[in-house]
Amino acid sequence: MKKDLLSIKDLAASEIEALSVLAADLKEQQRKGIGHPFLAGKTLAMIFEKPSLRTRVTFDVGMAQLGGRALYLAPGDIRLGEREAVKDVARNLDRWVDGIVARTFSHLTIEELARHAAVPVINGLSDLTHPCQVLADLFTIWERRGRLGGLRVAYIGDGNNVCHSWLYGAARMGIELVAACPKGYEPDGRILAAARREAETSGGRMTITLLHDPRQAAQGADVLYTDVWTSMGQEAEWAKRRRDFQGFQVDAALVHLAKPDVLVMHCLPAHRGEEITDEVLDGPRSIVYDQAENRLHLQKAILMTLLGD
Ligand code: CP
Ligand code: NVA
């Protein structure tokens, strides 16, 4: 793997598979109570410009389980690019720590950190992508279905950071991705085009489709995936988005259109009653908490791969 994990587009299919295999192994060791301090003595700095539950806790707990430690730097602590230039933050941190996780607004900030830090930089979500989430999602589906290639994933909702990472991930792994987004909320055209080119070369007959009809997308799906309509940083648009996304809620009727054994997934946090109903989120097809658990195991695999000796 490259020094940094900035986007799924930088990973080969074999590297994504290797991360899942290692994550499964670490999960088993954890379950059996077998210690695995492969990162003893290592330190991870975690820079957050936005709130987080899953990403923060799983990287912190993951480092502890691997025998290392993590240092949380809250939004107000270092004020990236305000109190100090991004490159100076990178050049200081790499003298003290062995890796950096960053959650930022601008994706350029993470790229700049990676360019100037001698140690690995991991994207813990930017406005553009959320690779750790989708790598954990791919692991979760692979655990359940034993394969990824040929599955049909319907992504219903906003063409946002999670959707972008799904486009890259699906194209790379030969998954048929059908995204249904309201008009004006489609994914970035360049990422869509890149994913389509990739799907043609690597996935063969697998396609990336963009629709505006959630029902058509959900037909026969193996996985129904959704995310919030209003992402972090877009709070001022909440009322307008709520109106514009009417008809895009994942509810029981939509689940009914998918395969009977469909997996309902959501990266969380969920805005219950907006993009997904309580009934579906808490229902028998939902695997959202397994998905959240797997952030831990998959990110431990990332940490071992990038920070290990
Ligand atoms: N899914 C996810 O990244 O959750 P947090 O925002 O809580 O980290
Ligand atoms: N799209 C969401 C994902 C949160 C994990 C956001 O950026 O807020």
Side-chain angles (χ1 to χ4, degrees):
M1 262 167 69
K2 288 188 170 176
K3 169 178 102 47
D4 309 298
L5 177 50
L6 305 187
S7 171
I8 291 181
K9 81 171 187 301
D10 301 331
L11 296 175
S14 59
E15 290 171 330
I16 295 175
E17 282 158 12
L19 285 173
S20 282
V21 169
L22 181 54
D25 187 35
L26 290 165
K27 186 171 180 174
E28 186 66 4
Q29 293 188 46
Q30 182 67 23
R31 197 183 61 78
K32 290 184 174 156
I34 302 169
H36 41 281
F38 299 114
L39 296 183
K42 305 256 180 182
T43 304
L44 178 75
M46 308 194 297
I47 301 173
F48 281 82
E49 289 185 341
K50 305 183 186 188
S52 170
L53 173 68
R54 279 147 292 274
T55 308
R56 176 182 174 179
V57 173
T58 51
F59 272 113
D60 195 333
V61 170
M63 277 305 283
Q65 291 179 358
L66 289 166
R69 63 176 304 240
L71 189 68
Y72 173 66
L73 299 163
D77 283 349
I78 53 176
R79 304 209 316 276
L80 261 185
E82 285 176 42
R83 181 170 182 270
E84 196 164 359
V86 173
K87 69 177 170 189
D88 284 327
V89 172
R91 287 170 178 168
N92 278 262
L93 280 175
D94 73 9
R95 300 295 177 107
W96 310 314
V97 305
D98 303 284
I100 300 168
V101 169
R103 167 168 288 193
T104 62
F105 288 94
S106 169
H107 190 72
L108 296 176
T109 307
I110 299 185
E111 290 185 337
E112 197 178 350
L113 276 171
R115 218 168 30 250
H116 294 286
V119 298
V121 172
I122 300 169
N123 177 355
L125 179 147
S126 70
D127 284 348
L128 193 68
T129 58
H130 195 3
C132 293
Q133 177 66 53
V134 174
L135 288 169
D137 297 338
L138 293 171
F139 169 49
T140 305
I141 298 167
W142 173 76
E143 256 188 331
R144 296 263 173 167
R145 294 288 179 256
R147 69 186 172 106
L148 293 173
L151 296 179
R152 179 181 163 101
V153 174
Y155 178 95
I156 312 289
D158 191 17
N160 61 17
N161 43 10
V162 172
C163 181
H164 290 155
S165 286
W166 255 107
L167 286 168
Y168 286 131
R172 192 55 49 94
M173 302 314 289
I175 292 172
E176 180 186 359
L177 185 78
V178 189
C181 312
K183 290 214 169 77
Y185 296 93
E186 296 90 351
D188 182 292
R190 283 159 307 176
I191 296 180
L192 185 63
R196 281 182 168 152
R197 275 196 305 277
E198 170 77 25
E200 277 166 23
T201 50
S202 77
R205 64 190 183 80
M206 282 310 142
T207 52
I208 306 280
T209 311
L210 177 64
L211 305 170
H212 296 106
D213 178 2
R215 279 162 296 280
Q216 199 183 335
Q219 294 282 351
D222 295 286
V223 174
L224 264 186
Y225 199 106
T226 192
D227 183 17
V228 291
W229 294 338
T230 303
S231 285
M232 291 179 277
Q234 299 172 331
E235 289 77 8
E237 299 171 26
W238 177 77
K240 174 170 168 42
R241 284 174 169 267
R242 231 180 117 93
R243 283 194 303 277
D244 293 347
F245 280 81
Q246 284 315 306
F248 282 77
Q249 185 182 62
V250 175
D251 58 12
L254 203 70
V255 173
H256 199 66
L257 296 172
K259 289 211 175 120
D261 64 349
V262 64
L263 304 173
V264 173
M265 301 179 75
H266 190 312
C267 58
L268 303 178
H271 294 165
R272 287 170 175 267
E274 287 187 29
E275 75 277 0
I276 192 163
T277 60
D278 282 324
E279 184 188 10
V280 172
L281 195 69
D282 299 327
R285 302 313 317 152
S286 167
I287 57 164
V288 298
Y289 304 113
D290 295 333
Q291 216 184 319
E293 179 191 333
N294 280 341
R295 293 290 303 278
L296 173 69
H297 308 300
L298 195 285
Q299 287 163 198
K300 282 167 73 180
I302 294 173
L303 290 167
M304 268 187 65
T305 307
L306 296 185
L307 274 60
D309 295 320

